[in-house]
Amino acid sequence: MNISHVSNDATSGIIKLEIEKKDYEAQVDKNLRQYRQKADIPGFRRGMVPLGVIRKMYGKHVLTDVINKLVSDSLVDYIDANGLKVLGQPVPNRADQKPIDFDTEENFEFSFDIALSPVISVHPTKEDKLTRYQVNVDEIMVDKQIDTYCRNFGSYDDIIDEVEAEDLVKGTLTEWEDGQPKEGGIRVENAVLMPQYIKEETERVKFIGAKRHDEIIFNVKNAYQDSTAEIASLLEIDKEAAGTLTSDFCFKVQEITRFKAAELNQELFDKLFGEGVVKSEEECREQTKFILNEQLQPQSDYKFWLEIRALLLKKAEDISFADDILKRWLISIDEKNTPEKVEAEYPAMIENIKFQLIKRQLMESNGLDIEDSDVKAYALQIAKSQYAQHGIFSVPEVLLERHAKNLLEKKDTMEYLVEHTMEKKLAAWIEEKTDVTTKEVSLDEFEKLFI
């Protein structure tokens, strides 16, 4: 077999393969003999079918499979051995590739176009200006967060006074007809609803001010404005039945419970931050501000990374690719990739490829390696932030270690962690090499930066 490569230009080339009978006949013969051992053909004992019969029945199929595998493996080996930086996969050359006739030919020629990675040379300098946006955590944000703490650790207390909009009302729900319970109608014991979630005001106000043992007649369809999911949940029926229901219902109040936020005291401090870590409201506010800053930092880092991305892509805007070859490859790998779809999505795809190449060039040319310890540290950071999202800030190290270990054991998550660890290291390096201005903004101003 003869295989060769010719460069068209800096971004494309052609790989040609010439395959002779001696390159594949032994493998074809071996595969046909394996077919013979398994063939179950009427008139012959299993494994005793003459090889000539097998060759006649399966020869072309086996030959096609062997040639295709030989071509595929040879391309991969040649590309690796010659250090060709190929983007995507080789695609048949439209001009040189001759039709293949497996019935009559013994020697075959294949010609493939390859898209090559362009030479990337991007160098950030102090002349490059970047802005790092830092959210100013003000007292209003701290107040809201502490209010959230109190509500998260609050409880419902049984009360005996009148119903308010946010109360939880429990009772018996009975389908009503002509001023009385409907015979054979729906009846729900221990039904629970909250007036604030009743969408129609005229129905909602019927509950406000109600007391225990009061009976309230209301129309469920109107109350929830035809929301079959909510009606089905309240009445414990399926959505199809809920969609056709028009009856009034009687709700007999049995219990009224009202939500009570937790008090801002030492008991709450210990639940939030660990026993004895915070001992006063002032310390609570300081710790809350620190936590908010910590939680907002990843968003600030992400915005800074977008600034870096735009800068690097701007520096590499003149880099070109073998667009025709790459588009043909995309169309070939997925039947859903129509020429129109590929044409529409190609600009964004090629920008992502370009950015990946820039990142790789910067990491390699500047000796920016990431260690296992870097990835583990990032996994611990992710684990800690996931607990914080649920209001848990004091997490034993053993739990964080276990959570991080679980993240690292999942292939998809591991790839994400490695990629983002690399980006964090690269961002820190670029921050040192460029002129970065830190700008404090309000949360509202920060969110508008993403619009």
Side-chain angles (χ1 to χ4, degrees):
M1 180 175 62
N2 183 39
I3 182 167
S4 61
H5 165 241
V6 177
S7 293
N8 293 331
D9 52 42
T11 63
S12 68
I14 299 174
I15 295 179
K16 293 187 177 183
L17 294 89
E18 297 174 356
I19 298 176
E20 299 178 352
K21 185 176 180 179
K22 63 181 181 180
D23 298 321
Y24 63 79
E25 61 180 344
Q27 188 63 49
V28 169
D29 187 66
K30 179 181 178 181
N31 289 6
L32 286 172
R33 292 182 185 282
Q34 291 175 346
Y35 265 79
R36 184 187 183 208
Q37 294 174 1
K38 300 176 182 178
D40 190 3
I41 299 175
F44 299 96
R45 284 189 296 164
R46 189 179 184 88
M48 300 300 292
V49 183
L51 189 59
V53 174
I54 296 296
R55 189 180 301 277
K56 185 176 182 179
M57 295 179 67
Y58 301 109
K60 182 178 178 180
H61 172 73
V62 170
L63 175 62
T64 303
D65 283 351
V66 169
I67 294 296
N68 285 339
K69 187 174 188 306
L70 180 60
V71 169
S72 177
D73 291 347
S74 298
L75 282 171
V76 171
D77 292 344
Y78 184 83
I79 288 168
D80 288 345
N82 290 273
L84 298 177
K85 297 181 179 180
V86 175
L87 299 177
Q89 297 170 352
V91 295
N93 179 277
R94 289 171 171 171
D96 294 346
Q97 182 61 61
K98 301 173 183 177
I100 302 295
D101 187 346
F102 289 104
D103 290 318
T104 62
E105 296 180 19
E106 291 185 340
N107 298 327
F108 306 97
E109 293 183 2
F110 295 90
S111 182
F112 292 93
D113 289 324
I114 55 172
L116 298 172
S117 175
V119 176
I120 304 287
S121 183
V122 172
H123 303 283
T125 70
K126 286 295 181 180
E127 293 182 3
D128 297 317
K129 299 185 182 302
L130 293 169
T131 302
R132 174 180 279 283
Y133 294 93
Q134 203 74 37
V135 177
N136 176 31
V137 177
D138 57 23
E139 294 304 309
I140 294 175
M141 290 177 64
V142 173
D143 288 339
K144 287 181 178 178
Q145 186 60 43
I146 290 177
D147 181 65
T148 299
Y149 294 157
C150 293
R151 295 188 67 81
N152 286 347
F153 286 90
S155 60
Y156 278 92
D157 292 337
D158 190 23
I159 60 172
I160 58 173
D161 55 355
E162 300 177 347
V163 173
E164 293 181 2
E166 296 184 1
D167 290 345
L168 198 68
V169 187
K170 181 177 178 181
T172 302
L173 196 55
T174 308
E175 190 172 4
W176 214 246
E177 185 178 63
D178 297 329
Q180 60 184 359
K182 179 180 178 180
E183 185 175 350
I186 298 171
R187 180 180 174 85
V188 182
E189 301 286 348
N190 299 319
V192 176
L193 59 76
M194 296 180 74
Q196 66 173 332
Y197 295 125
I198 295 177
K199 299 174 182 177
E200 176 55 49
E201 184 178 0
T202 56
E203 300 292 349
R204 182 171 60 251
V205 297
K206 293 177 181 179
F207 287 85
I208 306 303
K211 300 180 176 61
R212 287 188 180 189
H213 310 304
D214 282 356
E215 293 185 347
I216 302 160
I217 309 298
F218 74 115
N219 187 277
V220 173
K221 178 181 174 71
N222 293 340
Y224 294 98
Q225 296 180 351
D226 293 329
S227 174
T228 55
E230 291 177 279
I231 294 170
S233 176
L234 178 65
L235 301 180
E236 299 178 3
I237 58 177
D238 60 45
K239 289 184 180 180
E240 185 176 350
T244 61
L245 195 66
T246 59
S247 307
D248 286 340
F249 278 77
C250 176
F251 191 102
K252 186 172 183 179
V253 180
Q254 295 173 338
E255 296 179 13
I256 305 168
T257 54
R258 183 166 297 160
F259 179 78
K260 180 182 179 182
E263 294 182 14
L264 194 61
N265 54 24
Q266 191 61 49
E267 182 181 358
L268 180 60
F269 299 155
D270 291 346
K271 288 179 180 178
L272 287 169
F273 310 112
E275 188 170 352
V277 174
V278 168
K279 298 179 181 179
S280 67
E281 183 175 340
E282 182 181 357
E283 290 182 6
C284 174
R285 296 185 70 83
E286 290 175 359
Q287 187 72 3
T288 300
K289 188 170 185 176
F290 173 80
I291 289 169
L292 286 172
N293 275 312
E294 198 172 53
Q295 290 177 340
L296 288 166
Q297 191 59 46
Q299 297 176 51
S300 175
D301 292 342
Y302 174 66
K303 176 59 181 171
F304 186 58
W305 182 247
L306 294 181
E307 299 268 325
I308 289 173
R309 188 179 194 273
L311 170 68
L312 297 180
L313 287 172
K314 178 70 174 175
K315 283 178 169 288
E317 61 183 353
D318 294 332
I319 293 173
S320 60
F321 293 83
D323 298 326
D324 176 67
I325 297 173
L326 288 171
K327 289 176 184 178
R328 284 158 50 203
W329 165 64
L330 289 169
I331 292 170
S332 72
I333 60 175
D334 190 340
E335 61 182 13
K336 295 179 182 178
N337 285 346
T338 63
E340 295 77 15
K341 183 173 185 287
V342 168
E343 198 65 38
E345 296 177 356
Y346 186 76
M349 187 209 74
I350 206 67
E351 187 174 86
N352 286 333
I353 290 176
K354 184 186 291 187
F355 189 49
Q356 288 294 331
L357 294 174
I358 294 170
K359 289 192 294 183
R360 185 186 305 167
Q361 175 252 311
L362 287 172
M363 293 291 289
E364 291 176 354
S365 62
N366 295 286
L368 302 176
D369 297 322
I370 58 172
E371 308 292 339
D372 290 344
S373 57
D374 298 324
V375 181
K376 182 181 178 182
Y378 187 54
L380 286 168
Q381 181 183 332
I382 294 294
K384 187 176 180 180
S385 67
Q386 289 177 346
Y387 278 108
Q389 288 173 6
H390 296 88
I392 304 172
F393 306 109
S394 177
V395 185
E397 286 298 321
V398 64
L399 290 182
L400 288 177
E401 289 277 352
R402 188 183 304 163
H403 193 150
K405 184 174 181 290
N406 290 337
L407 292 174
L408 293 167
E409 287 175 348
K410 297 175 182 177
K411 182 181 177 181
D412 290 347
T413 308
M414 180 62 172
E415 290 175 355
Y416 167 87
L417 292 171
V418 170
E419 180 72 11
H420 282 262
T421 300
M422 181 268 286
E423 290 179 354
K424 280 167 64 69
K425 177 157 285 192
L426 185 55
W429 180 83
I430 291 174
E431 190 165 8
E432 291 180 358
K433 300 297 180 181
T434 56
D435 182 7
V436 180
T437 300
T438 300
K439 183 178 180 180
E440 279 201 356
V441 293
S442 68
L443 181 59
D444 184 57
E445 289 172 327
F446 182 74
E447 290 174 345
K448 287 178 180 177
L449 294 172
F450 293 91
I451 297 176

